[in-house]
Amino acid sequence: MMQGIIDLHHDIFFFLILIFVFVSRILVRALWHFHYSKKKIPQRIVHGTTIEILWTIFPIIIPMFIAIPSFALLYSMNEVVVDPAMTIKAIGHQWYRTYEYSDYNSSGEQSLTFDSYTILEDDLELGQSRLLEVDNRVVLLAKTHLRIIVTPADVHHSWAVPSSGVKCDVIPGRLNQISILVQREGVYYGQCSEICETNHAFTPIVVEAVPRKDYGSRVSN
């Protein structure tokens, strides 16, 4: 998902560079040829049918080239994986999160549930980021299609991990879902993107993507 966003950014930036070069050339050419020291008098043109057609058509065509891949990416980001390998439920609280792993339980067993709190500044260890580290990380399988179900226990929240291209609003009384595919192993940080009152800045999200061989031991710990 994030790779698609990056590719779209690069494609749009290409058009921006073309527009910048074209407009800059016109400005520099006008400044050079009509400098006051050369005492040139520009030709008076009331109407120019050709140029008026061009500067009307091209600004229409350029947004079309940008809109087509933008809509394709938008719809692909909203697609839901029909048969994900794993489903995790994230419940937003003021001001922490609860996660539930229930895919691997037989009937009658209690699902694996844990709370994730921000590590206070006084308790941070060397190398940990202020206001971004939590005591219990969300452990996910790398290179696997996953589903995250989000819901709040109180007010509006948001589950957002920018480096994965994921952001989903958490609305009271509703279950929202996100499909995610983490391409690389590592640790990814996010935060609540909705103003959920006073301690809004103290509800980070930490996702740790691990290979399949290490997944069982990490979740059990």
Side-chain angles (χ1 to χ4, degrees):
M1 190 180 298
M2 191 60 197
Q3 188 60 47
I5 297 173
I6 294 172
D7 292 339
L8 178 64
H9 169 268
H10 293 343
D11 294 341
I12 294 177
F13 204 76
F14 171 75
F15 288 104
L16 293 180
I17 291 174
L18 291 181
I19 295 170
F20 174 77
V21 171
F22 178 72
V23 174
S24 298
R25 183 181 182 278
I26 293 176
L27 290 175
V28 171
R29 182 180 173 85
L31 292 173
W32 174 259
H33 287 287
F34 298 98
H35 193 266
Y36 72 93
S37 61
K38 297 185 178 182
K39 302 186 182 330
K40 282 190 175 183
I41 299 176
Q43 184 178 0
R44 297 181 180 275
I45 299 176
V46 178
H47 291 290
T49 305
T50 304
I51 191 65
E52 289 177 359
I53 292 174
L54 290 176
W55 73 38
T56 302
I57 292 177
F58 278 103
I60 295 174
I61 294 176
I62 292 173
M64 288 177 60
F65 277 103
I66 297 174
I68 292 172
S70 299
F71 287 136
L73 177 64
L74 182 64
Y75 280 106
S76 66
M77 291 176 65
N78 287 331
E79 286 184 358
V80 177
V81 177
V82 178
D83 189 19
M86 182 173 64
T87 300
I88 297 175
K89 186 176 182 181
I91 305 172
H93 300 269
Q94 294 177 306
W95 289 269
Y96 65 97
R97 298 181 190 278
T98 300
Y99 295 97
E100 295 182 4
Y101 292 70
S102 57
D103 280 353
Y104 314 112
N105 297 339
S106 59
S107 59
E109 287 186 352
Q110 186 176 4
S111 60
L112 173 61
T113 304
F114 61 89
D115 296 328
S116 181
Y117 287 88
T118 308
I119 297 180
L120 299 179
E121 188 172 355
D122 296 336
D123 299 327
L124 288 174
E125 298 178 358
L126 184 64
Q128 292 183 330
S129 301
R130 176 178 175 270
L131 297 183
L132 285 177
E133 196 58 67
V134 296
D135 54 356
N136 292 311
R137 296 175 173 178
V138 184
V139 181
L140 303 179
L141 274 170
K143 302 178 182 178
T144 305
H145 287 285
L146 311 169
R147 176 171 58 192
I148 310 293
I149 296 177
V150 293
T151 188
D154 34 53
V155 298
H156 280 72
H157 294 279
S158 179
W159 204 88
V161 182
S163 55
S164 296
V166 172
K167 180 184 181 298
C168 184
D169 289 340
V170 184
I171 303 170
R174 293 190 61 182
L175 282 175
N176 286 343
Q177 61 180 344
I178 316 161
S179 294
I180 183 172
L181 174 63
V182 183
Q183 296 284 2
R184 292 190 295 269
E185 301 161 13
V187 179
Y188 303 89
Y189 294 93
Q191 287 182 304
C192 180
S193 299
E194 292 286 343
I195 306 298
C196 52
E197 300 185 13
T198 55
N199 288 335
H200 159 72
F202 299 91
T203 52
I205 301 162
V206 183
V207 174
E208 184 174 355
V210 299
R212 190 175 298 272
K213 61 185 178 62
D214 298 333
Y215 177 73
S217 60
R218 291 290 291 111
V219 171
S220 61
N221 292 332

